[in-house]
Amino acid sequence: MNRETKLGDGVANELKEEINRELSSTAKSFIRILFAYLNDKVQGIDFDDLLGKLSKKDEDEIMSLWSSQLVEEGLVPSGYGGLPNDLLIDNLHQTGYVDGLYSGYVLAMISLVDNNAPRELIASVKDDLFPKPIALRYRDRHELVSRLDDENYRWVKCLTKDDPAD
């Protein structure tokens, strides 16, 4: 087969490649300049003033978008997507979980008193439990529940009110 090189063969492809390299280089330079400019402008923005000009609806929408983005990126659990700012922060701080632990403590104390538990037992439970739910923040509630799987406590899960006392 006879292969002849013709005038202009491959020139168009090389020109396209060169144009693409130059456009890419120019675009990268433009983006660097644009973001340097925006960075300078952002440094001078009074965010308190800017936020003061947003309506409550705007703030809620921004926070909803933000929490949805955090869910999308896997930074917070999916159930937190779309939560307003105050609920998102409360959930991230596990405020509800700590409140739940405290409520459980209160219910346990009420149950002990209602079932005529000895005062020494009530005092012992109070002294042992009261500071823990308040002071501890468990990232995973299963950490606390799993304590009942320890051999010292396993029997508690099976215990009923009708079981004879030891």
Side-chain angles (χ1 to χ4, degrees), residues 101-120:
L101 284 175
Y102 184 71
S103 297
Y105 160 77
V106 170
L107 290 171
M109 292 293 101
I110 290 171
S111 181
L112 287 170
V113 171
D114 288 350
N115 287 290
N116 300 316
R119 291 179 74 85
E120 300 80 26

Side-chain angles (χ1 to χ4, degrees), residues 34-135:
L34 175 64
F35 278 92
Y37 174 80
L38 291 175
N39 190 37
D40 287 343
K41 291 296 181 188
V42 168
Q43 299 303 321
I45 291 177
D46 181 356
F47 283 103
D48 291 332
D49 181 50
L50 178 64
L51 293 175
K53 294 177 183 176
L54 294 175
S55 70
K56 177 68 175 148
K57 182 180 174 187
D58 291 332
E59 286 182 39
D60 289 344
E61 186 174 341
I62 290 168
M63 293 313 299
S64 176
L65 291 170
W66 177 61
S67 65
S68 296
Q69 182 65 36
L70 292 175
V71 168
E72 192 175 304
E73 293 178 13
L75 298 173
V76 296
S78 61
Y80 293 2
L83 287 177
N85 189 29
D86 55 340
L87 291 178
L88 181 63
I89 299 302
D90 282 350
N91 276 288
L92 290 174
H93 286 176
Q94 299 177 338
T95 304
Y97 179 67
V98 174
D99 290 346
L101 284 175
Y102 184 71
S103 297
Y105 160 77
V106 170
L107 290 171
M109 292 293 101
I110 290 171
S111 181
L112 287 170
V113 171
D114 288 350
N115 287 290
N116 300 316
R119 291 179 74 85
E120 300 80 26
L121 175 62
I122 295 171
S124 173
V125 170
K126 179 189 76 71
D127 291 345
D128 191 44
L129 288 183
F130 182 72
K132 291 180 182 167
I134 307 307

Side-chain angles (χ1 to χ4, degrees), residues 17 98 131 145:
E17 288 175 12
V98 174
V145 175

